[in-house]
């Protein structure tokens, strides 16, 4: 398997890249020869801040080889347009997609970076008119901007959040439709944490925003399950990764995946 580069990163020592993709994933690179499950998502799938993210745990639990295509900052914009990721999903036996934050999409309100969807680029005229007291040039990240707007006026923010949720649901449906074109079953993974901005974390996601996506998939896994302990951190804790892998394992088995012929 060719991979164009590696470089230093965090707990496991490397970033890696795959042919056709402009995103940076958690290394070391894995072979895409033979059967595997593709794990798509953002920083939580990448495993920022944890030694063993849920794709790693899912592989250990099921015996199915799981290739981690989680990229820090990746949301619907990045996943929908990355040809390398789509090609990798076409070769996979099954795909698991972690649901990203609803603030990480380009809308008429503001633009995000096409690959680092957590990066705020520019406010649109409508958003500037709605929040004339806010200096949008001060923001680098979408989460930073959303926090500031919520603190400034929760009432105005509530109306804005609903528009972002609607846009996010539509964009995620586009991602899932593209993945449907690969002919591979797709599972959705919602990693729940403590509420943020009046919704459930990831930022602004609520069940009403997620429900329309289930019809585009082979099923939805929520971790931890409703009523379970939520992480207080901005990113999932180890316990959430463990819960996600445990909940995904029987569904991955039901999809008829086969065990890997060789490690790598």
């Amino acid at each position: 398997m060719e991979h164009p580069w590696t470089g230093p990163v965090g707990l496991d020592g490397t970033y890696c890249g795959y042919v056709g993709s402009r995103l940076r994933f958690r290394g070391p690179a894995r072979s895409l020869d033979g059967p595997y499950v593709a794990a798509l998502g953002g920083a939580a799938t990448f495993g920022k801040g944890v030694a063993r993210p849920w794709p790693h745990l899912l592989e250990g639990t099921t015996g199915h080889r799981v290739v981690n295509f989680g990229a820090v900052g990746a949301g619907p914009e990045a996943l929908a347009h990355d040809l390398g990721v789509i090609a990798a999903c076409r070769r996979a036996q099954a795909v698991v997609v972690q649901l990203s934050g609803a603030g990480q999409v380009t809308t008429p309100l503001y633009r995000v970076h096409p690959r680092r969807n957590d990066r705020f680029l520019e406010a649109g005229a409508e958003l500037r008119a709605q929040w004339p007291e806010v200096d949008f040039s001060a923001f680098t990240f979408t989460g930073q901007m959303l926090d500031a707007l919520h603190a400034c006026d929760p009432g105005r923010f509530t109306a804005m959040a609903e528009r972002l949720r609607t846009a996010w649901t539509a964009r995620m449906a586009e991602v899932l439709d593209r993945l449907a074109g690969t002919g591979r079953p797709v599972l959705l993974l919602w990693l729940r944490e403590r509420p943020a901005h009046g919704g459930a974390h990831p930022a602004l996601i609520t069940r009403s925003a997620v429900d329309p996506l289930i019809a585009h998939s082979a099923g939805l896994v929520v971790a931890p399950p409703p009523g379970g302990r939520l992480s207080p951190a901005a990113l999932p804790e180890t316990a959430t990764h463990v819960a996600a892998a445990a909940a995904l394992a029987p569904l991955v088995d039901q999809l008829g995946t086969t065990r890997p012929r060789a490690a790598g």
Side-chain angles (χ1 to χ4, degrees):
M1 168 61 195
E2 178 187 359
H3 50 94
W5 47 264
T6 59
V9 64
L11 291 167
D12 71 338
T14 60
Y15 279 116
C16 72
Y18 292 96
V19 172
S21 175
R22 300 182 67 186
L23 300 176
R24 302 197 299 174
F25 307 106
R26 186 181 184 121
R30 306 290 300 275
S31 171
L32 300 187
D33 295 328
Y36 63 89
V37 175
L40 277 57
T45 298
F46 179 94
K48 188 174 182 180
V50 296
R52 302 176 69 201
W54 67 263
H56 183 103
L57 297 169
L58 181 62
E59 179 169 313
T61 300
T62 64
H64 301 300
R65 202 157 55 93
V66 181
V67 179
N68 189 338
F69 292 102
V72 176
E77 306 281 327
L79 297 178
H81 299 104
D82 192 275
L83 298 180
V85 169
I86 298 299
C89 291
R90 191 171 290 114
R91 300 174 64 176
Q93 293 180 293
V95 181
V96 182
V97 180
Q98 173 225 331
L99 300 178
S100 65
Q104 297 181 357
V105 293
T106 290
T107 71
L109 295 173
Y110 60 86
R111 291 194 304 118
V112 300
H113 191 279
R115 292 183 301 282
R116 285 293 304 261
N117 302 156
D118 59 341
R119 298 294 180 96
F120 174 80
L121 293 184
E122 181 184 34
E126 180 182 356
L127 188 63
R128 292 195 301 270
Q130 290 175 350
W131 303 81
E133 70 274 40
V134 175
D135 177 13
F136 289 96
S137 67
F139 304 129
T140 302
F141 295 96
T142 57
Q144 175 192 22
M145 183 265 294
L146 294 173
D147 283 339
L149 297 187
H150 183 263
C152 180
D153 189 331
R156 267 185 289 171
F157 184 86
T158 298
M160 175 185 170
E162 187 57 38
R163 290 187 60 182
L164 293 178
R165 275 192 287 271
T166 300
W168 176 85
T169 300
R171 197 62 51 84
M172 280 302 306
E174 292 175 12
V175 173
L176 296 177
D177 286 343
R178 289 207 66 184
L179 292 173
T182 68
R184 301 298 183 259
V186 178
L187 292 170
L188 305 178
L189 174 62
W190 183 10
L191 298 174
R192 295 170 61 250
E193 296 140 274
R194 288 194 183 279
H197 313 305
H201 211 83
L204 310 175
I205 302 261
T206 60
R207 184 67 196 229
S208 63
V210 173
D211 279 345
L213 302 175
I214 298 176
H216 298 259
S217 72
L220 169 70
V221 167
V222 181
R229 190 179 71 87
L230 299 179
S231 166
L235 288 170
E237 297 176 331
T238 297
T240 300
H241 286 271
V242 171
L248 284 167
L251 295 180
V252 168
D253 280 332
Q254 289 171 15
L255 292 176
T257 54
T258 58
R259 295 301 191 271
R261 290 191 292 269

